[in-house]
Amino acid sequence: MKFGGTSVGDVERIRRVARIVAHEHREGRAVAVVVSAMAGETDRLVKLAREAGGEHSNRPGVGGKGFDDEYDVVVASGEQVTTGLLALALRQMGHPARSWQNWQIPIRSDDAHAKARIDTIDEAKLGAAIDSGEIAVIPGFQAITGEARITTLGRGGSDTSAVAVAAALGAERCDIYTDVDGVYTTDPRMAHKARRLEKIAYEEMLEMASLGAKVLQTRSVELAMAQRVKVRVLSSFVEPGQPNKGTIVCDEEEIVEKQVVSGVAYSRDEAKVTLLGVEDHPGVAADIFGRLADAHINVDMIVQSESRHKGRQNIVFTCPDRDAPRAAETIEAARAKIGVEDIHIRRDVAKVSVIGIGMRSQVGVARTMFAALAQKGINIEAIATSEIKISVLIDAQYTELAVRALHTAYGLDAV
Ligand code: ASP
Ligand code: MG
């Protein structure tokens, strides 16, 4: 069981979490619990670390040690507090519970501080304690290196911790309790006809998570898919015993009724960069995107087209909005060398995507999308597709309209 920051936001809520955990335990299940820091706590710690001069970065630091290891010491502390509080609340209710800090298990990671990856979890001692009837409470978001230095797994990393612990213990399921009651067909704030999905395939969830649905950290879904851990997303605000089915994230084989489209996702954090009159010969794209990669700019959609001028082409790409000025500067600086006539940036764009494993075996999915957008008079500026996803770039002011139109067009509206 994993509980996120809002679910453990204050002691009252931690008591409710204790009641939910106790209920599972009373039903005869062996339970390990992974907790986040109390809501807002990690942000507060990040700010403190920054004030002290240790903003996470790859600066060399004194003696070549950098800063990120100490940043991790600071920001990992939030979860430790929650483990103790939850264990206390459980004991108060008469349940055997104890907190397990990472070095006590241990959970080991590489030494990429602030974005570490879990390598191994030694389940021997932990498993024995759980088998003896104890409830284990484990801090999410962190691990230790081979040298026993504290690492953190990147923001939202407690989801990944929970999946990793579930995999190590061979758990039947990983229940992720959060402030929403499941995964929805789209953001309910955008379309009030959004529906909770009963089940969603790993691949679909992965696309949804990387396209901006914030329910699960993307890496946790990757891990669940690789280790075949069944994940359930459900509400922590429902008292135990009350209906709370949530959404099961599982293998597509387990989904009987495959939807052509299961969800509509959107992201407003997009910018479009247009390079006009780019010289057209082998190596140009490699040069441009090599420079962008060196500048750590994460490029998403790419469209290349012929120009009216012979020997020239136009290239359009998208990147996160905050990176757009840097992307333009990077190209500008090498403009003569690459051979680019003109550079434009548009920052008021949004990406809207439809996702579904059923798409693989269905024709006309793109047509439905484009027709629905055309009917609303929404112009498409770029298109990208994968086997189970179609994304379009549009004017940001039509985001909501587009999401709703697509939700209706693919028959996702709640009746
Ligand atoms: N507390 C960490 C964060 O806010 C990890 C997590 O909650 O998943 O990013
Ligand atoms: Mg989270």
Side-chain angles (χ1 to χ4, degrees), residues 22 25 47 89 91 117 161 171 174 186 196 274 282 294 350 383 407 409 414:
H25 193 241
K47 197 158 156 273
R91 282 188 194 173
R117 279 177 181 270
S161 304
C174 178
T186 193
R196 178 177 55 81
T274 307
D294 290 342
I383 303 168
H407 200 265

Side-chain angles (χ1 to χ4, degrees), residues 35-37 76-85 99 101 103 139-140 142 150:
V35 287
S36 287
S77 64
E79 273 74 9
Q80 177 169 338
V81 173
T82 327
T83 57
L85 292 175
S99 63
Q101 303 313 311
W103 59 87
Q142 54 204 276
I150 296 171

Side-chain angles (χ1 to χ4, degrees), residues 365-377:
V365 184
R367 178 179 58 195
T368 304
M369 181 175 204
F370 303 152
L373 295 172
Q375 220 207 338
K376 298 285 179 198

